[in-house]
Amino acid sequence: MTSKPPTPRLRKSSEQVREAVHQAVVDLLSDPEGSDLTIPAIAQRAGVNHTSVYRRWGSREALLADVVVTRLERDWPLADTGTLRGDLTAWAEAGVASIRTPEGRLLIRAVALSMPGSATAQEGRAQQLGRRLDAIERIRERAAARGEDPPPLDRILDQLVAPLYLRAIFGIDPPASGYPELLVDRLLGDTGKTQAPETP
């Protein structure tokens, strides 16, 4: 299969540059010929100057993280179901749907397997990935505002978020059904479950 030619360099707005660069990353990750995922290669595919990419993202690792988080925010939104259990289950269901797609698996594996080699790259990457932690924190804040008692963020990360990302990294699809509910049940136990009425 022949790789797509680089996009001609035209004057683009800031948002157009971001979209073009993001799409270039996805295209290169998906290239069956194993194209090098370097800043110059990404810039060439996007039709922008590589200095613009460095200036905006600082490193390849920060760029990859931005692409992943942006796509996850699009495909993995925060639902407001009215309960903590419902919100976490809806979040996990969207996550399962996302990581079952080839693009979702590629993006998450790209970030996980591209650890920064410098303090500057680590900082940029952490800032981007921190947006996902902020999303989880918003679920906790909504629950607390409703009078619920959400578990600590670390526990949510360990018992709900980590299993989904770990599967994506190793290319293992979640079970076909019931997996989000299973993770949330393990995290919350009986908290927030509707109790069946007692039989007289």
Side-chain angles (χ1 to χ4, degrees):
M1 181 176 178
T2 303
S3 300
K4 292 194 300 185
T7 303
R9 290 184 183 175
L10 302 172
R11 184 176 295 277
K12 299 181 175 71
S13 68
S14 177
E15 186 56 32
Q16 286 175 326
V17 168
R18 185 169 185 261
E19 290 177 0
V21 170
H22 279 205
Q23 188 59 51
V25 169
V26 173
D27 289 345
L28 290 172
L29 284 171
S30 305
D31 190 342
E33 295 182 7
S35 299
D36 290 334
L37 194 65
T38 62
I39 292 292
I42 293 168
Q44 182 181 29
R45 176 63 67 93
V48 302
N49 196 300
H50 72 276
T51 58
S52 299
V53 179
Y54 280 115
R55 185 165 56 247
R56 181 159 186 164
W57 285 279
S59 69
R60 184 191 69 162
E61 290 76 19
L63 169 56
L64 283 172
D66 184 35
V67 173
V68 170
V69 172
T70 299
R71 295 298 175 107
L72 291 180
E73 288 172 341
R74 181 196 68 187
D75 301 331
W76 201 333
L78 292 181
D80 189 352
T81 67
T83 68
L84 174 63
R85 181 177 290 276
D87 288 355
L88 290 175
T89 301
W91 188 88
E93 286 173 345
V96 167
S98 177
I99 66 176
R100 288 181 74 89
T101 66
E103 179 181 303
R105 285 193 295 267
L106 279 175
L107 289 171
I108 293 175
R109 291 183 70 189
V111 170
L113 300 176
S114 299
M115 298 301 293
S118 68
T120 301
Q122 288 174 2
E123 182 179 353
R125 184 174 185 269
Q127 288 176 350
Q128 299 296 347
L129 296 180
R131 287 156 51 192
R132 291 309 288 169
L133 301 186
D134 291 343
I136 300 296
E137 191 60 43
R138 288 199 296 276
I139 292 178
R140 294 184 67 255
E141 290 170 355
R142 282 199 313 231
R146 290 190 296 255
E148 297 179 274
D149 185 20
L153 178 61
D154 283 349
R155 218 170 92 204
I156 296 176
L157 294 178
D158 289 344
Q159 297 184 26
L160 181 61
V161 180
L164 293 177
Y165 280 81
L166 192 63
R167 282 179 174 272
I169 291 169
F170 286 99
I172 304 172
D173 281 340
S177 64
Y179 190 60
E181 293 83 359
L182 173 65
L183 292 179
V184 174
D185 282 347
R186 288 175 176 172
L187 173 64
L188 299 181
D190 292 332
T191 303
K193 280 190 173 180
T194 301
Q195 299 295 321
E198 294 185 3
T199 303

